[in-house]
Amino acid sequence: MKPFDALLSSAAGSTPVTAHFFANQLVLHDLGASVAVDQLIVSVGGMERPELFLNWLDAQGRQASLQPLGPDAIATVLQEAPASLQPSLQKLWSERKQNRRQVSGWLAGITGAALLAGGLFWWQGNNAIGALAGLIPLSTEKQLGELALAQVRSQGSLAGSGAAQQTVQQIGQRLTTGSRYQYRWFVKQDDSVNAFAMPGGIIVVHTGLLRQAGSPGELAGVLAHEVQHVEQRHSLRQMITSLGWGALVAVTIGDISAVAAMLAHQAGTMYFSRDMEEEADRLGVQALQRARIRPDGMLTFFQKLGKEDQDKAQAPGWISSHPQTAARVQRVTALIGATPCPDCLPLSSRHWQAMKAALPAGDKN
């Protein structure tokens, strides 16, 4: 129960506090409040000195963060934290030390390269950022996705269970067998025809898209595409491209708290490059074929929604954030024709009609 000094950051601002662990609670002395340990998400960072953050959502669903101040306070947290928190604490803290050494060398190289070839960097900036995003450990990517998910949850109307979620999960699991990610599937009550992926294996599908999908195969086509945005780290790379070098440095060393909220704000409206979209289409078709699912569901879904593509102001969310639908229909048609799959069968789902019946008649935009 040894206390430690910390800085509490919340919607009300930043406040110095004294805290300690008691049983499975993080107690904030000065505020007379406590947080259950199982609600805490650990993040680490710092360039010049080590920093540790304990993050959670308050009663209103807003993010709060407690930063132990100084090496002694961090040591106290590492020693006094309950057993349930120790694995993530020790793992992230160890990885943070390793990543910091890697990034120190990496930053030195970047500085020299920038001085010698700044013009070349600006010419191929997106490619450079995409390549350097590969330095980010998988554990940090997953943690970033979890914090972004917490922000999306705070917006409400997100379901991790129920008939619709179970249908999405069952189809999605067929497309992700053997993946390095442990996927999590969510359904958001929203009229817009949309679906999006977040780093670390998080897929969100809007109920508007579920109503629009005419068959399990069409939903599988959407999920196959979104899964490839995760597998190829497109969401992570695009976030870094949008937020710039500061985000790249912060995420690479594990200091993800500052960028999680911005990622959540981008979720669902993130625009990927044409190369990323083409790659997600191509590898999505391959994923469908590996799962022995006929890939024409992706094609028919594009064709159905592409009719509205000429009026982008009225186009569904998934189309407006996935442009050039007519060209993509042609590419997917060519892909399917070039790689026949005689063993692939139309996808069926015994829960499909029940899922359709359970969808709300009117959702919130």
Side-chain angles (χ1 to χ4, degrees):
M1 293 191 302
K2 183 178 179 181
F4 58 90
D5 294 329
L7 182 67
L8 174 65
S9 299
S10 65
S14 297
T15 307
V17 298
T18 302
H20 75 269
F21 290 102
F22 179 76
N24 286 317
Q25 297 286 320
L26 173 63
V27 180
L28 308 177
H29 295 183
D30 312 73
L31 303 180
S34 64
V35 182
V37 168
D38 61 7
Q39 296 180 16
L40 299 178
I41 299 175
V42 180
S43 62
V44 296
M47 282 291 291
E48 298 299 328
R49 61 182 185 277
E51 295 177 350
L52 177 67
F53 301 89
L54 302 175
N55 309 281
W56 68 92
L57 295 180
D58 64 19
Q60 286 73 44
R62 298 169 300 187
Q63 185 172 339
S65 180
L66 188 73
Q67 178 188 0
L69 296 176
D72 291 341
I74 292 174
T76 298
V77 171
L78 294 174
Q79 294 169 3
E80 299 289 330
S84 60
L85 196 61
Q86 285 293 342
S88 57
L89 272 173
Q90 299 298 335
K91 183 173 184 294
L92 287 172
W93 195 246
S94 175
E95 289 178 349
R96 185 257 173 212
K97 293 179 180 178
Q98 180 181 357
N99 294 339
R100 191 182 177 200
R101 288 194 296 268
Q102 293 174 345
V103 172
S104 296
W106 169 73
L107 286 176
I110 290 298
T111 301
L115 292 174
L116 295 174
L120 178 62
F121 168 75
W122 288 112
W123 177 47
Q124 293 186 326
N126 287 342
N127 291 335
I129 288 178
L132 290 167
L135 295 173
I136 298 172
L138 189 62
S139 59
T140 302
E141 180 188 357
K142 291 179 179 178
Q143 190 182 11
L144 179 59
E146 287 297 324
L147 285 176
L149 175 61
Q151 294 286 340
V152 175
R153 281 186 188 277
S154 70
Q155 300 167 10
S157 302
L158 192 68
S161 61
Q165 187 276 337
Q166 290 174 6
T167 301
V168 170
Q169 178 173 300
Q170 288 168 358
I171 294 174
Q173 285 176 340
R174 287 191 58 175
L175 298 167
T176 55
T177 301
S179 173
R180 60 180 174 171
Y181 296 97
Q182 294 181 341
Y183 278 84
R184 300 175 65 187
W185 313 89
F186 297 90
V187 170
K188 182 175 176 60
Q189 184 177 324
D190 194 302
D191 270 334
S192 60
V193 182
N194 203 7
F196 57 91
M198 292 189 287
I202 297 169
I203 306 291
V204 178
V205 181
H206 287 194
T207 49
L209 188 145
L210 293 176
R211 286 202 302 273
Q212 189 73 26
S215 68
E218 289 191 351
L219 176 57
V222 172
L223 296 181
H225 178 94
E226 296 301 332
V227 162
Q228 290 308 314
H229 280 318
V230 174
E231 294 290 328
Q232 309 309 315
R233 308 187 94 180
H234 291 165
S235 300
L236 184 66
R237 290 165 54 192
Q238 188 62 28
M239 176 205 71
I240 292 170
T241 300
S242 299
L243 300 182
W245 281 98
L248 175 59
V249 173
V251 175
T252 303
I253 63 174
D255 186 8
I256 64 177
S257 302
V259 297
M262 287 181 275
L263 173 62
H265 179 71
Q266 291 178 345
T269 59
M270 189 177 294
Y271 287 80
F272 297 106
S273 70
R274 184 172 65 181
D275 289 344
M276 289 182 182
E277 293 290 2
E278 290 180 359
E279 185 174 41
D281 286 344
R282 174 173 53 82
L283 297 180
V285 168
Q286 294 178 9
L288 290 163
Q289 292 176 333
R290 284 196 304 272
R292 297 294 183 264
I293 299 171
R294 284 183 56 173
D296 55 349
M298 179 186 289
L299 179 60
T300 58
F301 194 78
F302 280 159
Q303 291 171 330
K304 180 188 301 183
L305 298 186
K307 295 177 182 178
E308 302 182 52
D309 200 20
Q310 293 181 353
D311 184 2
K312 288 296 180 69
Q314 299 299 320
W318 202 72
I319 286 296
S320 61
S321 61
H322 295 70
Q324 299 179 325
T325 306
R328 296 176 69 197
V329 166
Q330 294 178 356
R331 287 198 305 271
V332 172
T333 301
L335 283 169
I336 294 174
T339 56
C341 181
D343 295 333
C344 292
L345 300 173
L347 182 63
S348 61
S349 171
R350 66 179 185 275
H351 303 294
W352 185 256
Q353 295 304 324
M355 181 273 290
K356 285 283 193 176
L359 290 174
D363 298 334
K364 297 177 180 180
N365 286 311

